[in-house]
Amino acid sequence: MKPTLSAPEAAPSRGRFLNSGNGPHLEPIDIGHDAYMALIEPDTAFWSLVRKDALADTLANPSFRAAVAKKHGAFAKEMQALRFGLKPSAVYFNPTERCNLNCRYCYIPEKMRKNGRHMSQVRMFEALERLKLYFKTTMPKGRLPQVVFHGAEPMLNREALFAAIERYGNDFRFGVQTNATLLDDSALAFLTEHGVGIGLSLDAPSPSIANKTRRSWSGEGVFEAVETAMRKLKGYPGFNVICTVTNSNLKHLVALVDFFHAHEVPACMLNIVRCTLPGARVIKPDDSTAAEAYLAALDRSHELYKSTGRKLVVANFANVLVSILAPTARRLMCDISPCGGGRCFFALAPDGGLYPCSEFIGLPEFRGGNLFKDNIADVLQTPAFTKVTGRKVEDIEPCNKCTIRHFCGSPCPAEAHEMNGDMRRTGAFCEFYEEQVRYAFRLIADGLADDYLWDGWDKDATTTFEWGM
């Protein structure tokens, strides 16, 4: 394991003292564990679990102080690279503005979803050619960039989409995020034969709840279509299901975990609703209620694993856990600042518009340029992008004083800007993320972390700090 994370532009420690001007500053936090608490160095996110009855002795121990101080500069360098040294490796590609659903929390404006345009096959090929050339400048040798067809509903533009996947299968790793309503047998056969990642969306284990938030323009639910697709995808390793957590389904998250596990879903995401647009704020749960229900769902996922030997990885929580254990093994970039938008990935609209993230599509202020007219590297430096890539927890109140600021990242910049009026403000949730971090530390203290993570997560991890009294 790798209990280290590091911070931006921190000077190497020059002494062996903790909490002095020349050394790292360790802050104790209560993680809700009977025996342990965490010591965290906020700037670098270095941490150590310490028995409560040994806290004073640990802090006074000269060998511990010396060991932490010695590694402080390395931790700082690692965090600097993680936060500011990465280059884009993925694009969220919206092949259409249209959607056949009218989900209550959608971040794409209704007018676009009703009457928007498709990207033509010719334009899609041109876009992928341009992306291919760009990613040659950013990707390590031997790794392919990722293209996730996203949206709105990408399967509405199926013919062009499938032609693109067939033509460029050796140049990109492809994924499709879909509402499943258009996944007939021939579509499933094509996608699975080409090894395409398939993400479905479902918010509850029963139609009466799921259809409250996800439904067609005429008000019809789509639960049956998603469940049918789940049954047909059983055994396919490249499929997952996303649940958007709202006040409509909080009480059903435990049952939803049971439902996903019974359908042998290998991974899911329990995503708290993004409150970028006003429609989502009406169904926003409060932090404490959301945290209680969310952690109960995580508990249930572990009970099922222990009783069956089969994991259901809750990917967004697993990412929080990995951000503590092995920060560079993160797979998602929403829980760090700057977030991944415009830095590790960007979004492409059907007309060629480039945005830091799909959350910003529909917000003209964050349109940085056009793929068919502008150089991608230049677009990444426009104000539309640098407003997002320059958003740091150090500039946000009260995040700049928070001990766990690099395990959370104060998401999400889109909702902070739209809901709270400025990039330098928090998003819609705070306590919700804080409770996830405390929960993660309890799992580490009890030796249970691996049970919540994908198999092989630590294949390339190394221990950079180890000390014991």
Side-chain angles (χ1 to χ4, degrees), residues 57-234:
D57 290 341
T58 300
L59 289 172
N61 189 301
S63 64
F64 176 74
R65 297 200 306 267
V68 174
K70 183 178 180 181
K71 287 286 188 177
H72 188 255
F75 298 157
K77 185 176 181 181
E78 184 181 74
M79 177 59 95
Q80 175 74 14
L82 183 64
R83 296 180 68 197
F84 303 103
L86 301 181
K87 295 181 179 180
S89 61
V91 58
Y92 289 94
F93 193 129
N94 290 14
T96 181
E97 291 175 332
R98 297 181 205 166
C99 190
N100 55 347
L101 299 190
N102 185 28
C103 301
R104 292 182 66 187
Y105 46 70
C106 187
Y107 52 80
I108 298 176
E110 184 175 305
K111 184 178 180 181
M112 293 174 67
R113 287 182 284 119
K114 269 189 173 180
N115 306 307
R117 71 196 82 183
H118 288 333
M119 182 182 283
S120 70
Q121 180 175 308
V122 171
R123 275 298 214 190
M124 199 174 294
F125 285 3
E126 182 183 352
L128 290 169
E129 284 291 342
R130 289 174 177 265
L131 290 169
K132 187 168 114 174
L133 289 173
Y134 169 72
F135 282 122
K136 283 183 178 179
T137 69
T138 68
M139 295 298 298
K141 187 176 181 180
R143 283 186 55 196
L144 294 179
Q146 186 173 30
V147 169
V148 179
F149 290 111
H150 212 259
E153 176 45 53
M155 290 295 295
L156 287 171
N157 197 6
R158 169 176 167 164
E159 185 176 340
L161 189 76
F162 284 10
I165 290 171
E166 196 155 39
R167 180 163 180 170
Y168 290 95
N170 294 325
D171 301 305
F172 300 95
R173 293 182 296 119
F174 284 114
V176 174
Q177 182 64 41
T178 173
N179 60 35
T181 58
L182 303 174
L183 284 181
D184 57 25
D185 288 344
S186 63
L188 286 170
F190 176 88
L191 293 171
T192 55
E193 287 168 8
H194 287 78
V196 176
I198 302 173
L200 309 179
S201 297
L202 186 68
D203 289 351
S206 65
S208 61
I209 305 302
N211 294 340
K212 286 183 178 180
T213 49
R214 300 188 60 79
R215 56 198 179 199
S216 69
W217 291 99
S218 60
E220 298 174 353
V222 296
F223 176 91
E224 290 80 4
V226 183
E227 185 180 24
T228 297
M230 289 170 62
R231 286 199 303 268
K232 292 178 178 180
L233 285 166
K234 184 177 178 178

Side-chain angles (χ1 to χ4, degrees), residues 297-374:
L298 293 176
D299 285 341
R300 182 57 181 159
S301 74
H302 189 251
E303 291 171 0
L304 290 169
Y305 169 58
K306 299 306 287 185
S307 64
T308 67
R310 179 164 47 83
K311 291 182 181 179
L312 168 65
V313 176
V314 181
N316 46 327
F317 170 71
N319 204 65
V320 171
L321 189 50
V322 165
S323 76
I324 299 170
L325 291 170
T328 56
R330 293 172 190 248
R331 294 188 177 184
L332 306 172
M333 284 289 177
C334 291
D335 50 20
I336 191 171
S337 83
C339 72
R343 191 173 66 88
C344 302
F345 55 81
F346 50 86
L348 173 66
D351 65 352
L354 292 168
Y355 298 82
C357 172
S358 294
E359 283 285 333
F360 291 100
I361 290 179
L363 303 177
E365 179 183 349
F366 293 94
R367 181 186 177 98
N370 189 289
L371 177 69
F372 303 115
K373 299 176 182 178
D374 303 311

